[in-house]
């Protein structure tokens, strides 16, 4: 199994600097985070406009080539603002073609001297800057130099990053029971929450069963579930994985003959089909850009009351917190449960590890990444 990497070679020639580019803004495609623009305008007028315009061209290339997600592009913008500030403070090269290894060494030292940034933040800023500069080098906007970047200047910061922790068996059991109660209420049409909270219940339950990341989960299309080619009791769910511009396929077991009454099967296929049924009435009136999505709901917000919306990351996060408060879900330490898709993904990965008797390759294959990623970041 080979590790997927971003493909910077899809669009090799520099993007022309048209009138839109001269505003230093890049329009983002529809995304789960509702981000619309990547904006470098504040970096203009500091003597390094050729750098800014080259950055804009590269960000547009990322979007056109689908080699970076909108969220990644926004992260790149934040990092590039630091790089332009570095050029301004140190009198760096005024054009990308003048970039040399000595400038990268100076940038690393400049970042390490920034007292307003944590060690982890410095490493993240450098990593994002490097991603853009490497892509520009691939496209010829920067002179190619194999020694341009030193090896792992922020290597220790990876040890300081605190990733999400999996739910304990007791926490997962309490969560599953709360979801079961809400799904029964939805099935019996006596759910007391708002429509957005209802679809969040289905999304949260499906996330628990599939381990999908937030973006992939929220961007599921209505035709994502398809028959398994040779296993009648299984279904395949296809989720788009922006990193690598690939489709992530998961197999879910289908209990065809289970009736939903007093109890509800926490079956991924049943949950997905229930979500489709619940939102079907909204498809016809939804706008063209979201009508093929699963997580539709009628807004109850003051500013958008009655409008048909699709769950975004912010709405999903808010509704998950409401769900936790409504059910008074607690962590094992007695505090309010902290819940997100990262914790659900790690929970599923660790359960698969236990069920497979420690088969790292099987776990990695099911979760859609390499054994090294499973070992280092999940297990």
């Amino acid at each position: 199994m080979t590790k997927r990497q971003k493909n910077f070679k899809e669009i090799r020639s520099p993007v022309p600097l048209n009138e839109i580019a001269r505003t230093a803004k890049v329009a983002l495609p529809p995304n789960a985070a509702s981000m619309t623009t990547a904006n470098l305008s504040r970096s203009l007028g500091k003597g390094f406009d050729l750098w800014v315009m080259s950055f804009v061209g590269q960000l547009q290339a990322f979007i056109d080539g689908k080699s970076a997600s909108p969220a990644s592009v926004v992260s790149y913008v934040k990092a590039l603002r630091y790089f332009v500030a570095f050029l301004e403070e140190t009198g760096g090269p005024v054009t990308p073609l003048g970039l040399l290894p000595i400038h990268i060494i100076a940038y690393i030292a400049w970042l390490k001297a920034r007292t307003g940034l944590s060690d982890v933040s410095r490493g993240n800023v450098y990593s994002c800057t490097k991603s853009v500069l490497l892509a520009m080098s691939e496209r010829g906007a920067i002179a190619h130099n194999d020694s341009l970047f030193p090896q792992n200047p922020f290597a220790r910061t990876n040890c300081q990053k605190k990733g999400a922790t999996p739910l304990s068996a007791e926490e997962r059991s309490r969560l599953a029971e709360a979801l079961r109660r809400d799904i029964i209420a939805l099935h019996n049409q006596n759910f007391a929450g708002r429509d957005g909270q209802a679809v969040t219940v289905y999304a949260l339950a499906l996330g628990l069963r599939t381990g999908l990341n937030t973006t992939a989960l929220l961007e599921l299309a209505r035709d994502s579930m398809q028959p398994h080619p040779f296993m009648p009791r299984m279904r395949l769910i296809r989720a788009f994985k922006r990193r690598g511009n690939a489709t992530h396929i998961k197999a879910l077991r289908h209990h065809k003959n289970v009736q939903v009454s007093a109890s509800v099967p926490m079956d991924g296929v049943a949950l997905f089909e229930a979500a489709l049924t619940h939102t079907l009435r909204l498809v016809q009136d939804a706008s063209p850009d979201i009508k093929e999505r699963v997580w539709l709901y009628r807004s109850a917000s003051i500013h958008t009351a009655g409008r048909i919306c699709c769950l975004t990351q912010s709405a999903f996060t808010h509704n998950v917190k409401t769900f936790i408060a409504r059910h008074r879900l607690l962590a094992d330490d007695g505090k309010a449960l902290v819940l997100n898709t990262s914790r659900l993904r790690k929970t599923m990965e660790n359960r698969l590890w236990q069920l497979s008797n420690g088969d790292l390759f099987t776990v990695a294959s099911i979760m859609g990444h390499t054994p090294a990623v499973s070992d280092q970041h999940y297990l």
Side-chain angles (χ1 to χ4, degrees):
M1 185 180 298
T2 58
K3 184 176 180 180
R4 288 190 181 276
Q5 297 181 342
K6 287 186 173 71
N7 181 5
F8 296 130
K9 298 183 179 181
E10 295 184 22
I11 299 179
R12 297 190 60 87
S13 58
V15 174
L17 299 180
N18 54 29
E19 290 303 316
I20 295 178
R22 294 184 187 282
T23 66
K25 295 181 181 180
V26 176
L28 300 176
N31 57 85
S34 299
M35 297 176 291
T36 59
T37 307
N39 190 352
L40 271 171
S41 296
R42 69 173 68 175
S43 296
L44 290 172
K46 298 182 178 181
F48 298 93
D49 287 3
L50 289 177
W51 272 104
V52 176
M53 291 296 99
S54 294
F55 289 151
V56 170
Q58 182 55 54
L59 297 178
Q60 187 65 59
F62 283 140
I63 295 299
D64 293 343
K66 297 182 180 180
S67 55
S69 70
S72 293
V73 169
V74 171
S75 296
Y76 294 159
V77 166
K78 295 176 181 177
L80 294 175
R81 289 171 184 160
Y82 281 102
F83 188 75
V84 174
F86 155 75
L87 294 173
E88 184 182 15
E89 290 184 20
T90 62
V94 296
T95 68
L97 289 175
L99 188 67
L100 299 172
I102 191 174
H103 299 126
I104 299 299
I105 297 297
Y107 179 52
I108 293 168
W110 183 85
L111 282 176
K112 290 182 176 180
R114 305 294 292 183
T115 57
L117 292 175
S118 67
D119 289 342
V120 172
S121 295
R122 294 185 189 105
N124 289 338
V125 169
Y126 174 75
S127 177
C128 289
T129 306
K130 180 180 177 181
S131 294
V132 177
L133 295 179
L134 278 174
M136 291 171 63
S137 177
E138 291 284 355
R139 296 170 55 244
I142 291 176
H144 181 74
N145 188 330
D146 290 332
S147 60
L148 185 60
F149 299 97
Q151 187 174 6
N152 297 330
F154 294 94
R156 295 181 181 179
T157 60
N158 288 331
C159 300
Q160 301 178 33
K161 294 181 180 180
K162 295 182 179 179
T165 57
L167 300 173
S168 69
E170 293 76 15
E171 289 170 339
R172 185 184 184 282
S173 178
R174 292 192 291 269
L175 170 62
E177 174 59 22
L179 288 169
R180 187 186 70 86
R181 291 199 300 269
D182 273 0
I183 292 171
I184 290 174
L186 286 165
H187 176 72
N188 294 329
Q189 299 183 356
N190 57 10
F191 180 75
R194 294 180 175 180
D195 201 21
Q197 295 167 3
V199 294
T200 298
V201 169
Y202 285 122
L204 193 57
L206 191 64
L208 181 65
R209 295 297 292 171
T210 62
L212 287 172
N213 286 323
T214 305
T215 299
L217 177 66
L218 298 185
E219 293 185 350
L220 283 175
R222 301 187 72 82
D223 61 355
S224 295
M225 191 76 71
Q226 299 177 10
H228 197 286
F230 50 86
M231 299 180 69
R233 294 190 63 184
M234 301 292 287
R235 296 291 185 270
L236 298 178
I237 186 168
R238 286 175 166 82
F240 182 66
K241 192 174 183 180
R242 290 187 182 276
R243 182 176 296 175
N245 191 25
T247 299
H248 188 193
I249 300 176
K250 281 184 171 291
L252 298 176
R253 189 173 301 279
H254 180 37
H255 301 288
K256 185 176 181 180
N257 296 321
V258 176
Q259 297 295 321
V260 179
S261 54
S263 64
V264 175
M266 296 300 284
D267 173 317
V269 175
L271 289 169
F272 189 84
E273 291 178 344
L276 291 179
T277 301
H278 180 84
T279 58
L280 180 61
R281 68 190 190 283
L282 303 176
V283 173
Q284 184 175 355
D285 297 328
S287 60
D289 59 321
I290 64 171
K291 68 189 314 174
E292 296 303 321
R293 296 286 180 84
V294 175
W295 313 113
L296 302 177
Y297 66 96
R298 195 173 295 279
S299 175
S301 169
I302 296 176
H303 302 291
T304 59
R307 182 187 303 174
I308 297 175
C309 303
C310 184
L311 276 182
T312 62
Q313 290 184 8
S314 59
F316 179 73
T317 300
H318 173 76
N319 290 337
V320 168
K321 291 180 179 178
T322 301
F323 169 83
I324 292 171
R326 187 171 69 249
H327 289 281
R328 297 183 175 87
L329 289 176
L330 301 178
D332 290 340
D333 62 3
K335 298 179 181 179
L337 182 67
V338 176
L339 188 61
N340 52 49
T341 56
S342 295
R343 296 200 72 186
L344 297 181
R345 185 169 177 81
K346 284 199 173 183
T347 301
M348 181 177 182
E349 186 128 357
N350 279 270
R351 289 188 74 240
L352 289 172
W353 170 263
Q354 295 170 356
L355 293 172
S356 67
N357 293 320
D359 189 334
L360 179 62
F361 291 93
T362 297
V363 173
S365 177
I366 292 174
M367 297 304 295
H369 46 229
T370 66
V373 170
S374 285
D375 186 38
Q376 296 171 14
H377 298 286
Y378 287 93
L379 300 177

